[in-house]
Amino acid sequence: MKRKLVIIGAGMASGRMLETLLDMAPDAYDVTLFNAEPRGNYNRLMLSPVLSGEKTYEEIVTHDEAWYAARGIETRFGEHVVRIDRARQVVISARGETHYDKLVIATGSAPFILPVQGKDLPGVVTYRDLEDTNAMIAIARPGAKAVVIGGGLLGLEAAAGMAARGAEVVVIHIMGHLMERQLDPSAGYLLQKDLERRGIKVHCRGATKAILGHDRVEAVALDDGTVYGADLVCMAVGIRPEVRLANDAHLEVGRGIVVNDQMTTSDPAIHALGECVEHNRQLFGLVAPLYDQAKVLAATLAGQAAAFRPVQTATKLKVTGVDLFSAGDFAEGPGREDIVFRDPGRGIYKRLVIEGDRLLGAVMYGDTADGAWFFSQIKEGSDISAMRDTLIFGPGFQGAAPADPLAAVAALPPEAEICGCNGVCKGRIVTAIQGGAVTLDAVRASTKASASCGTCTGLVEQVMALTLGGGFKANANPPLCKCTDHTHEDVRRLIKAGAMKSIPAVMQELGWKTAGGCATCRPALNYYLIADWPLDYRDDRQSRFVNERNHANIQKDGTYSVVPRMWGGVTTPAELRAIADAADKYKVAMVKVTGGQRIDLLGVRKEDLPAIWADLNDAGMVSGHAYSKGLRTVKTCVGSEFCRFGTQDSTGLGIKLEKMLWGSWTPAKVKLGVSGCPRNCAEATCKDIGVVCVDSGYEVSVAGAAGMDVRETLPLCKVATEAEVMEAVAAFVQLYRENARYLHRIYKWVDKVGLDWCQAQIADPATRRALCDRFQLSQSIYQVDPWAEHAKPAERAKWAALADLTLEAAE
Amino acid sequence: MTWADIGALDDIPAQGARVVKTAAGCVAVFRTADDRVFAMADQCPHKGGPLSEGIVHGTSVTCPLHAWVFSLESGEAQGPDAGAVATFAVRIEAGRILLDMRRLARRVAA
């Protein structure tokens, strides 16, 4: 017969314990689960991304009602247990008594509330559960004022989350520097600077005197006389174990419920785990030891031998863009020595604390890539005397291993810990992958690695890449290139947020791993800076691909093709004569009509480019930008001027559009088509932007393609006048310029952001107008003919050889 | 003579290159962001692409045709590609770039 297990509390520790117990002994118990919160278990570590808007609640649920139902667990969510009757082995709740053979107390912790005046005012919250998070989300709007009391892990994550939502945030911390339990003063200072750069005010050595307000919170007053206005106050000054039930039941309680190595309390029928327990006079707040307790308790309940041994833990702060790591013991003391590395310009600080031949602690800020390696040195107590000279530079400098991050992971021994939350080592991940877990989700499911706070996801992926080789498909949004861990989207966002206005500034601020980037990131950064800072940034020619640097398309033999612009595909006899003369003069190998209704001159030598451009300029022609990530062509039909079916002047509109858009740089090439009637002779409906004229006006559609992919355009808007077409197209091109990833054509970008969103932006008059204005501003700088610039006599020498030594070398 | 004056350092843009014509073929002369100069044959061993037109990053250049990457110091292809480009000694003296002609002359004779 099954025995009766009652669990009080559905938090992360009890959730993990249940999972393990059901794996070990699926039929041993009938389980009843009480939870004061009206829901099951979710990943509490992930409340910070929910607060900042990077995740939703649904994404962080780990065990929902269906999960418990499928396992036959009776859930009593929202029902408080009010008393335990040990003599009769029952718990008493609102709905009566429930018998137990074994009872597990997992009541967690309660936030510590400062005993100050005003602590009970509406608008004062703590940061423990979803209710608190939702209360902060509801208030943290742009312009709202929030005060966070407490500059530890939780307080700072609350502050960063509300700041990300636009609130003005002040952090009040009683100690001399932030996160004093995890950081030394130097790293705390760097962290404070970083937060201040994000607009978060930090007030250290601030003691809260009172919370002021009539009907709800209005301000916070400090002992030193400072008063901060507040629409919301978040108290994050610490936690205390929730021990009331255990106290009332006369279990042995110190600061927490006292348990032995088997997680059993002073009553053999009652166990406890999580933040509510005290083991060897120690309390536990981080998730890694809680999960260890869960495993031990599951074994105890299943009748197996196990003992809880607390291990060292490492800390990372989950604030996007802040890189911070600490592990071990880093207090100063006799016989302890420091190795310190500082690079204030790059915001990097590393400190190792050594005693004898052992590494005791590590604090890293700004560059935490080697954190896992240092942590494993600390836990294993390795003798570091042989590598002491270069220890602070990390595993890349020990032996001959290169500084490549994959090599650093490859160098880790199988017992090195990858996931600190769940205590998963490299060997277990490798075994899981070899056992068939070939996706990140599968590895998470089978090992729990990267399934909690997620900061080790990159490491897990590197282990996967090493184990699977070419068979590994990285996550859907890989870093921009191997020089950085940031995605294109992150880089674009951070360039704007951090007002970075040069390529070196971006590389410095975002911690580029290479000097000078590579041929992938440099053109992308150059484009992003041009698009975001048209007035401040100067185009970096040396960061452009050859075609854009030389304003001509390189051919396989090193010669170039030259394509003059023919507005809307319309030319004149005089232009054709000038093109023919140029083709003769520069011995052009082929004259070809392009798909974009213009003429391509192929096989021009580089040193002849300025001269042929000057000749074409003299005949009134400018560069056709046939080589650029920019406006290429506007293809037109003859329209109402000649065609018996034409409804509008499609040729004239095409020319106007091309004259408005030419010279603009875009993430990838942009081609337009304008057809004079729905017969669509200009093939407008497979272009990046297409306009089809109808009797009543103009249908503007976008996101077509006729290359590697073939797509029909999707409707953007329908308008009545040419002027409205011009405005909609300029606004849409600007929307694309400001938001798309470099090298993504319009159809790929629209796939990502959704047509609905694009339509809404263009339909809103104020947004459309503002986009148009920003496009015109950019054009006032960038709409220039590059041929005319480079064909100037003073520039021409740069296109020829630097020196001709053909005769000297033969001597 | 062994060292030929091929021009001023300022004639080459930082993170860029210029070409010197020689009897042994075109030589690409690179200038890095920190004003060091390197010289190598202006021909990618893959499909003959003009390396002088590649993007210069750190002490590497990426071929403009198919993105092979070469070390400016050794001429060796980087990453998965195998191959090498001939390199030539080059130095800066009083703002002028001097190219060592001995190895070039040997290539002509060979």
Side-chain angles (χ1 to χ4, degrees), chain A residues 6-8 32 34 76 79-100 103 245 248-249:
Chain A
V6 171
I7 302 173
I8 307 172
T32 301
F34 286 91
R76 308 276 284 272
E79 192 174 338
H80 287 260
V81 171
V82 295
R83 200 158 65 81
I84 301 166
D85 186 334
R86 285 166 55 191
R88 295 168 46 230
Q89 292 201 304
V90 294
V91 299
I92 298 144
S93 62
R95 278 168 44 198
E97 297 190 346
T98 309
H99 166 75
Y100 65 82
L103 176 65
L245 278 174
D248 294 349

Side-chain angles (χ1 to χ4, degrees), chain A residues 51-68:
Chain A
L51 177 57
S52 64
E54 292 164 63
K55 282 192 189 292
T56 62
Y57 169 67
E58 288 68 30
E59 289 175 82
I60 68 167
V61 172
T62 54
H63 302 90
D64 56 13
E65 298 263 10
W67 187 90
Y68 298 109

Side-chain angles (χ1 to χ4, degrees), chain A residues 313-597:
Chain A
T313 50
T315 307
K316 271 195 165 193
L317 182 70
K318 292 178 297 302
V319 173
T320 304
V322 174
D323 254 348
L324 176 162
F325 178 91
S326 80
D329 180 358
F330 42 83
E332 287 176 24
R336 291 189 176 177
E337 296 168 274
D338 279 351
I339 299 178
V340 176
F341 174 92
R342 265 179 226 272
D343 187 346
R346 287 161 62 212
I348 292 177
Y349 170 82
K350 302 182 189 184
R351 175 163 160 247
L352 303 178
V353 179
I354 289 173
E355 195 170 56
D357 298 332
R358 311 274 171 235
L359 183 61
L360 285 190
V363 182
M364 310 168 76
Y365 194 90
D367 173 8
T368 57
D370 298 332
W373 184 77
F374 284 122
F375 188 36
S376 73
Q377 302 298 315
I378 294 170
K379 284 205 305 187
E380 288 159 19
S382 321
D383 182 345
I384 50 90
S385 52
M387 52 185 174
R388 184 170 169 147
D389 286 352
T390 55
L391 184 67
I392 199 149
F393 302 114
F397 282 79
Q398 313 313 327
D404 167 19
L406 261 187
V409 174
L412 289 174
E415 60 275 13
E417 182 173 89
I418 300 287
C419 174
C421 292
N422 294 300
V424 185
C425 65
K426 181 181 161 190
R428 257 186 73 199
I429 297 173
V430 170
T431 310
I433 297 165
Q434 287 163 345
V438 296
T439 65
L440 184 61
D441 283 340
V443 170
R444 280 181 182 151
S446 56
T447 67
K448 302 285 176 210
S450 113
S452 293
C453 81
T455 44
C456 65
T457 305
L459 275 175
V460 172
E461 285 180 332
Q462 285 171 347
V463 174
M464 295 182 74
L466 281 167
T467 314
L468 294 171
F472 175 62
K473 282 195 182 56
N475 59 358
N477 200 358
L480 195 159
C481 67
K482 63 177 167 35
C483 306
T484 177
D485 294 330
H486 292 292
T487 62
H488 277 273
E489 288 71 19
D490 282 345
V491 169
R492 279 217 89 161
R493 187 170 47 79
L494 293 166
I495 283 175
K496 281 178 229 172
M500 301 167 203
K501 297 188 178 176
S502 71
I503 291 178
V506 175
M507 291 181 173
Q508 286 275 330
E509 296 267 344
L510 302 185
W512 240 244
K513 292 183 265 187
T514 53
C518 72
T520 300
C521 58
R522 286 252 303 280
L525 294 182
N526 190 51
Y527 168 72
Y528 293 152
L529 290 162
I530 283 178
D532 289 338
W533 313 110
L535 299 181
D536 304 299
Y537 180 69
R538 267 193 58 215
D539 180 30
D540 177 20
R541 233 183 125 212
Q542 299 310 130
S543 291
R544 287 191 176 273
F545 284 124
V546 57
N547 293 350
E548 293 189 344
R549 188 174 346 112
N550 289 343
H551 293 283
N553 276 321
I554 196 164
Q555 306 297 317
K556 68 175 193 179
D557 62 354
T559 64
Y560 292 83
S561 76
V562 171
V563 183
R565 211 166 263 294
M566 282 182 182
W567 307 100
V570 176
T571 185
T572 63
E575 282 184 356
L576 289 172
R577 275 190 203 99
I579 290 170
D581 286 345
D584 278 342
K585 184 171 169 187
Y586 300 99
K587 301 190 171 53
V588 161
M590 179 186 272
V591 181
K592 189 180 178 312
V593 175
T594 73
Q597 300 187 332

